[in-house]
Amino acid sequence: MKKAETPQQKFERMTTTPIPKLITRLAVPTIISMMVTSIYNMADTFFVGQIGTSATGAVGVSFALMAIIQAIGFALGQGSGNYISRLLGQQRYEYAEKVAATGFFTALGVGSLLLVGGELFLEPLVRLLGATETILPYAKAYVGWILIGAPIMMASFVLNNLLRFQGSSFYAMVGIATGGILNIALDPLFIYTFGFGTAGAAMATIISQAISFSILLRQTLLPQHIHVSIKNITPKWAVYKEILRGGLPSFYRQGLASISGICLNFAAHPYGDAAIAAMSIINRFFHFINSALLGFGQGFQPVCGFNYGAKRFDRVLEGFWFCVRVGVIILVCLSVGTFILSPVIVPMFRNDPKVIEIGVTAMRIQSIVVPLNAWTILCNMLCQTIGKGTMASILAVCRQGVYYIPAILLLPNLFGLTGIQIAQPVSDILVFLTAIVIGLRVLKELKQNQAEVTVSAAGEAVK
């Protein structure tokens, strides 16, 4: 049996292993995790799509609720994980355990509150999410079950990030991938065999999430990992301030994704359930496309956090540029493939002529701007990991809020259905331009920090 890695050995691995080798090794499991997660999200859309267009629209409506759950889970998980990676770089292990426990148990508590409140006001909630009268019964069935899984979903996001930011992405992958594969297997069983319809898709999701949660929790108990223990809960402002600094960008990004999803659903109302269903398919599919880059960037984040904490700014810069180059290559390849194969991809989810017509056009337009996300996403991850929460938050708010929400409210009035189809690409172009300004500023600061470290080291050598 392989001997568990000590904290000092992990520190040395994260701060001395060649950057391309280290990031690639950490990124492969996270890419697999992200893509499996996206696949099982698309699986719900695929299998429910066989029921009907309104059922497909119900999954699209629920996407806004899932975004809320992810917003809170990612905020606490990314915030805790970012802070922990810097603490481990500073070799402050006991305090890192307090941060981990605080983030985890806070997620469980907030998820429980959402469960109770959501179930008490289920129909008003589903209407608020943008359900039409024909979509309403399907959406209530789906959302009612998803709410039951909210606490463990949020806590799972935290556990996943805690493992990743310790440089243990393989262990995180095992938990996430197992749940994802199980979800794909259970979907047809619960939807068709047991006859639960859209509710069956949600049941499959929460069962698989519970299994994933159990595996992730077990992984944190291994000796080489930061342990999550209730005795280490430290609900102090000093802890929450750092968690929020690293986590608020994720909250803004995912929370605004929920609001923008609701705006999209209402904007698509005049064009019927087919438009809502088509845009639901597009959103899920491009989430899958971006998941490859997100997974690769998540391989960079622990490397970034450890080395930033250890004042190895040269390695932070090297890792960032390595990821940007690889990210552009990945997204260009996926973009070209998506543009060409869009008439094949959309009918796989819903073979409705109107859905296909709307979806293919939207997919092709959006695929053109997808490569720009390489710079935008990696700049966001860099800022978030090194504690530049304000800059990361600006980028997060711009994509789904400052740029997208006005676009989805204004453009349909000017261009009709085409306005709905181009809203996200227009937003992506604008946030890319913003990311150039912010990214170059942060990179300049990192270069200055490295220059100061070099001068200081030279002075110590002279002494």
Side-chain angles (χ1 to χ4, degrees):
M1 184 176 179
K2 185 178 178 180
K3 188 177 180 181
E5 188 177 38
T6 66
Q8 183 60 36
Q9 288 172 331
K10 178 174 287 188
F11 174 82
E12 291 176 0
R13 172 169 65 89
M14 297 294 287
T15 55
T16 61
T17 304
I19 287 294
K21 178 181 178 181
L22 180 59
I23 290 180
T24 302
R25 182 184 297 168
L26 293 174
V28 169
T30 57
I31 290 172
I32 294 172
S33 297
M34 289 298 297
M35 296 192 80
V36 168
T37 300
S38 295
I39 289 170
Y40 84 69
N41 282 334
M42 288 195 300
D44 279 1
T45 304
F46 173 79
F47 288 116
V48 171
Q50 312 312 306
I51 299 174
T53 299
S54 295
T56 305
V59 177
V61 165
S62 73
F63 186 78
L65 174 65
M66 295 293 284
I68 294 172
I69 295 172
Q70 290 176 357
I72 299 170
F74 275 132
L76 293 169
Q78 286 271 350
S80 302
N82 282 321
Y83 191 23
I84 283 172
S85 70
R86 298 197 300 273
L87 291 171
L88 295 178
Q90 298 165 11
Q91 299 181 298
R92 298 171 62 190
Y93 304 114
E94 291 184 4
Y95 197 67
E97 290 194 338
K98 293 181 178 180
V99 174
T102 304
F104 173 76
F105 286 104
T106 300
L108 276 179
V110 174
S112 299
L113 291 175
L114 180 61
L115 161 61
V116 174
E119 294 291 358
L120 287 175
F121 302 98
L122 181 58
E123 183 165 332
L125 171 62
V126 172
R127 289 185 182 277
L128 180 63
L129 295 175
T132 63
E133 289 299 325
T134 48
I135 288 175
L136 183 65
Y138 297 102
K140 285 176 62 178
Y142 191 89
V143 169
W145 282 98
I146 289 296
L147 285 167
I148 294 174
I152 59 172
M153 286 183 190
M154 288 186 189
S156 292
F157 287 130
V158 175
L159 292 174
N160 177 36
N161 281 284
L162 292 179
L163 290 168
R164 282 198 311 101
F165 278 97
Q166 294 175 62
S168 298
S169 55
F170 174 79
Y171 293 93
M173 179 200 71
V174 171
I176 296 297
T178 301
I181 293 169
L182 182 61
N183 195 127
I184 295 168
L186 291 179
D187 261 344
L189 183 66
F190 279 78
I191 294 171
Y192 308 131
T193 305
F194 296 157
F196 293 138
T198 52
M203 292 177 194
T205 296
I206 64 172
I207 290 172
S208 64
Q209 286 284 341
I211 299 298
S212 180
F213 170 82
S214 300
I215 295 172
L216 290 168
L217 185 60
R218 176 68 182 84
Q219 304 285 34
T220 65
L221 300 178
L222 297 176
Q224 65 266 43
H225 294 148
I226 295 294
H227 294 173
V228 176
S229 172
I230 195 168
K231 68 179 182 181
N232 286 324
I233 297 177
T234 310
K236 296 181 179 178
W237 173 240
V239 175
Y240 279 119
K241 182 175 72 173
E242 291 299 326
I243 291 176
L244 292 174
R245 180 181 296 175
L248 278 178
S250 292
F251 179 80
Y252 295 145
R253 183 168 53 248
Q254 296 294 332
L256 285 169
S258 175
I259 296 172
S260 64
I262 294 171
C263 292
L264 171 61
N265 291 333
F266 279 106
H269 268 199
Y271 306 98
D273 291 358
I276 296 176
M279 297 311 296
S280 169
I281 292 168
I282 300 307
N283 284 340
R284 292 294 177 102
F285 183 80
F286 278 101
H287 182 72
F288 170 73
I289 291 290
N290 284 324
S291 69
L293 177 63
L294 288 167
F296 195 78
Q298 286 175 357
F300 163 66
Q301 284 184 299
V303 177
C304 177
F306 264 84
N307 285 281
Y308 188 83
K311 297 186 177 181
R312 289 297 309 272
F313 305 113
D314 56 325
R315 286 173 61 82
V316 175
L317 288 164
E318 182 185 354
F320 174 78
W321 284 115
F322 171 71
C323 288
V324 168
R325 289 192 297 270
V326 175
V328 169
I329 293 171
I330 291 173
L331 290 189
V332 167
C333 294
L334 292 174
S335 174
V336 172
T338 299
F339 188 93
I340 295 171
L341 297 175
S342 55
V344 177
I345 296 170
V346 176
M348 291 172 60
F349 295 93
R350 182 61 191 156
N351 195 15
D352 179 321
K354 192 64 177 176
V355 172
I356 295 171
E357 178 187 352
I358 297 171
V360 168
T361 301
M363 184 172 284
R364 283 184 163 164
I365 295 171
Q366 197 160 330
S367 68
I368 295 171
V369 303
V370 160
L372 301 180
N373 291 342
W375 176 266
T376 302
I377 290 174
L378 288 166
C379 280
N380 202 325
M381 286 182 159
L382 171 66
C383 293
Q384 192 170 356
T385 306
I386 66 176
K388 302 288 184 183
T390 300
M391 293 182 179
S393 296
I394 290 171
L395 289 175
V397 168
C398 282
R399 185 172 192 266
Q400 295 292 350
V402 174
Y403 296 142
Y404 181 77
I405 292 178
I408 195 62
L409 295 177
L410 177 63
L411 294 179
N413 291 324
L414 297 175
F415 305 109
L417 180 59
T418 301
I420 295 174
Q421 295 165 320
I422 67 174
Q424 188 64 68
V426 167
S427 174
D428 286 349
I429 292 171
L430 293 174
V431 76
F432 169 73
L433 297 175
T434 306
I436 289 177
V437 176
I438 290 177
L440 292 179
R441 179 179 172 182
V442 172
L443 293 172
K444 180 180 179 180
E445 183 178 327
L446 287 171
K447 290 178 182 177
Q448 291 174 343
N449 291 343
Q450 180 55 35
E452 291 172 3
V453 169
T454 302
V455 170
S456 176
E460 290 295 324
V462 171
K463 292 179 183 179

